[in-house]
Amino acid sequence: AILLTALLTFIIVGPMMRSLGDLITVGLIWMYTTLGVFGGLLMGFFYAPIVITGMHHSFIAVETQLIANVATTGGSFIFPLAAMSNVAQGAATLAVYAISKNQKEKSTAMASGISALLGITEPAMFGVNLKLQYPFIAAIIGSAVGGAYVAYSKTLAIALGAAGLPGIISITAPKVVHYIIAMVLSMTVAFIMTFVLSKKNKGE
């Protein structure tokens, strides 16, 4: 089973996913540079679903090139957009902590929510938000709003780092305030939408 899986992965799955990841990257760059605020909104909305597939790792090569050529590019637009997705996931998970009456769920939500705010979203996404569904929807809506503001303010990163609250140190100095505003927007919308959708979910 291992030999068969390895063979299929190296010969078929790996190359296909690499090509798909490259196409997604090209598409995201086109959206951001061509569609402006709407492009930022779309990228913010779809970033978390892309993370689920793992294809967001293909963005690292693009980010590295953008940052290496900072004199001409100004920096990376992908990093702040990723940060908006991460903090939105964290805020939605913390909203679940506030809503839930299940002590085990509350414990998981608190720990994973804080982790997401610091840039590690997998525990929040897979342990809480995707399982309940409505927090994940709320998070991608919040991320879309933050992404739109990032595109509007042309907020860029000049270094890689933790895409979350600590990401402030990676942002170009004149845009730090805009980065903070975008994070506040992402987190607020995600938090409020989680409450709104939870009531609809309970009604159903």
Side-chain angles (χ1 to χ4, degrees), residues 136-193:
F136 184 78
I137 295 169
I140 60 177
I141 293 171
S143 175
V145 173
Y149 187 84
V150 164
Y152 167 76
S153 60
K154 294 181 172 54
T155 301
L156 301 171
I158 53 173
L160 296 177
L165 298 178
I168 292 173
I169 61 176
S170 299
I171 303 300
T172 54
K175 299 294 183 178
V176 168
V177 173
H178 291 294
Y179 180 79
I180 294 171
I181 293 172
M183 282 198 298
V184 170
L185 286 171
S186 293
M187 293 168 66
T188 303
V189 172
F191 195 88
I192 293 172
M193 285 301 299

Side-chain angles (χ1 to χ4, degrees), residues 19-20 28 37 48 67 96 125 139 144 150 152-153 164 170 198 200:
S19 298
L20 183 58
L28 290 176
V37 173
I67 292 171
V96 172
M125 285 176 59
V150 164
Y152 167 76
S153 60
S170 299
S198 74
K200 184 177 183 296

